[in-house]
Amino acid sequence: MKPIHVGLLGIGTVGGGTWTVLNRNQEEISRRAGRPIHIIAVADRNVERARELTGGVVKVVDDAFAVVDDPTIDIVVELIGGCAVARELALRAIANGKHVVTANKALLALHGNE
């Protein structure tokens, strides 16, 4: 079965924790989902730190829009915070036919109906 490809936007405190949990529990998460789930790209302003955290096993970029526009990514996990850019990224991901997951309460409170 085709794996689910995930793009992670932001790998700070929350994004780093998400990276760790998804990788540590990858086998169980894949079993429950019925197919493999892989983070294949990470976007963060601090590319060096992101490469260090991911161990160089995924594509790391400083342009979150490149991840949102990547046709191989099925799910975008937005963890950058703020509202303006996060909103733009989420709406563009949805327009590109991707599912969006976010922990951004401010974004949902202000723009959730969009």
Side-chain angles (χ1 to χ4, degrees):
M1 185 169 275
K2 179 184 177 274
I4 297 171
H5 290 161
V6 176
L8 189 62
L9 308 181
I11 196 160
T13 302
V14 175
T18 301
W19 167 266
T20 300
V21 167
L22 287 175
N23 281 295
R24 182 184 322 140
N25 301 312
Q26 185 174 20
E27 191 173 303
E28 178 63 16
I29 292 168
S30 294
R31 185 187 68 74
R32 289 183 183 193
R35 59 184 170 155
I37 298 174
H38 302 292
I39 298 174
I40 63 164
V42 172
D44 198 273
R45 287 182 289 187
N46 189 338
V47 173
E48 291 304 316
R49 181 174 174 271
R51 284 192 181 118
E52 190 178 302
L53 286 170
T54 61
V57 298
V58 298
K59 177 173 75 173
V60 174
V61 298
D62 64 356
D63 179 10
F65 288 97
V67 173
V68 168
D69 292 335
D70 184 335
T72 65
I73 292 176
D74 304 304
I75 299 174
V76 171
V77 180
E78 182 279 311
L79 300 169
I80 63 170
C83 282
V85 175
R87 174 183 171 269
E88 206 175 328
L89 288 164
L91 291 174
R92 189 142 140 193
I94 292 167
N96 287 339
K98 300 175 188 327
H99 298 278
V100 177
V101 176
T102 184
N104 191 331
K105 292 177 264 328
L107 175 65
L108 293 176
L110 294 172
H111 303 288
N113 290 335
E114 290 179 46

